[in-house]
Amino acid sequence: MSRPKKAKAPEIKPLEVVKYGHPALRSKGKKVEKIDDSIRTLAEEMIVTMYEEDGCGLAAHQVGRSLQLAVIDVMPAFEDRPSRAWIDGRELEVESLMPLVMINPEIHPVGDEKLFETEGCLSMPGIYDEVERHARVRIVCQDIDGSLLDFEADGLLSRAAQHEVDHLHGILFIDHLPAEDRAAHQPILSKFQARSVGF
Ligand code: NI
């Protein structure tokens, strides 16, 4: 008697990242009411997409899904742009949180310190600029199992979380720039916008 064959796990394929001008990027994401298989699969596909595109974060909006769901992994950039994280005031290994799936996340600034650092976005390739963000934040969200995750972060993790949570509310990093800096990026933005016509 032969042993029954083990069902092969389906291969997770990367998704297409939508570019500036796609309406999903300007929408407010719907709350995830139930973390079911379709949400878990979407989160896995988003993680694969983020790695494929060499990004450190990706919001559901960027794969055309307007939901309160984002993924982050700051480890590939850790040497150049480190982060720290704390739960209940105790520091923990950032790596133990990665890849991070944030479902229905909320962000609260911790302290008054703000920092300018360079950001880019997979939906606006080629555009980079200095964005002012809170240095340290508290992040409250559900993880992929539906458990509550409540932690504080600084460094790239803090910045990436603020960037991704902005996406979930239809906000892009260029919205934080002074008008003249945003205008300087307009030629590239207009090209993305022209390609997005018809969505
Ligand atoms: Ni982005």
Side-chain angles (χ1 to χ4, degrees), residues 2-195:
S2 63
R3 267 194 292 169
K5 275 189 191 139
K6 236 184 170 178
K8 230 175 141 189
E11 197 193 335
I12 307 282
K13 294 207 174 74
L15 303 168
E16 191 192 337
V17 176
V18 303
K19 302 298 186 293
Y20 182 82
H22 190 290
L25 294 175
R26 286 309 193 182
S27 65
K28 180 163 167 53
K30 260 177 57 186
K31 190 176 176 206
V32 175
E33 299 290 350
K34 193 167 169 246
I35 302 169
D36 55 14
D37 282 349
S38 72
I39 291 294
R40 279 187 283 271
T41 302
L42 177 60
E44 282 183 39
E45 289 170 335
M46 285 169 56
I47 290 168
V48 167
T49 308
M50 169 178 69
Y51 292 143
E52 173 91 2
E53 303 272 340
D54 286 328
C56 63
L58 189 69
H61 293 55
Q62 294 179 274
V63 292
R65 302 284 302 273
S66 192
L67 287 169
Q68 294 291 322
L69 165 64
V71 299
I72 286 177
D73 195 335
V74 294
M75 294 322 290
F78 200 80
E79 251 177 58
D80 292 333
R81 302 181 76 172
S83 314
R84 290 177 298 173
W86 298 265
I87 287 183
D88 294 331
R90 238 170 3 119
E91 190 169 351
L92 72 156
E93 291 284 330
V94 170
E95 193 166 11
S96 68
L97 293 169
M98 302 294 136
L100 176 66
V101 177
M102 300 191 300
I103 297 172
N104 303 322
E106 279 176 30
I107 292 211
H108 310 277
V110 177
D112 297 327
E113 193 189 352
K114 290 187 169 187
L115 294 169
F116 279 95
E117 273 176 30
T118 304
E119 289 185 26
C121 181
L122 295 177
S123 294
M124 293 177 277
I127 296 182
Y128 299 92
D129 215 323
E130 301 265 306
V131 181
E132 188 178 32
R133 301 277 187 191
H134 299 288
R136 181 164 166 166
V137 292
R138 176 179 168 211
I139 299 157
V140 183
C141 61
Q142 285 169 278
D143 69 11
I144 197 66
D145 302 315
S147 311
L148 185 78
L149 201 51
D150 185 344
F151 64 102
E152 290 185 18
D154 72 359
L156 184 58
L157 178 52
S158 166
R159 179 165 294 272
Q162 291 172 77
H163 178 119
E164 299 313 327
V165 170
D166 267 358
H167 270 302
L168 305 187
H169 297 275
I171 299 164
L172 301 172
F173 84 83
I174 51 168
D175 300 344
H176 295 287
L177 303 177
E180 62 270 26
D181 293 355
R182 210 166 46 238
H185 298 302
Q186 199 52 52
I188 303 182
L189 293 174
S190 299
K191 277 187 204 161
F192 291 135
Q193 207 152 21
R195 281 184 219 139

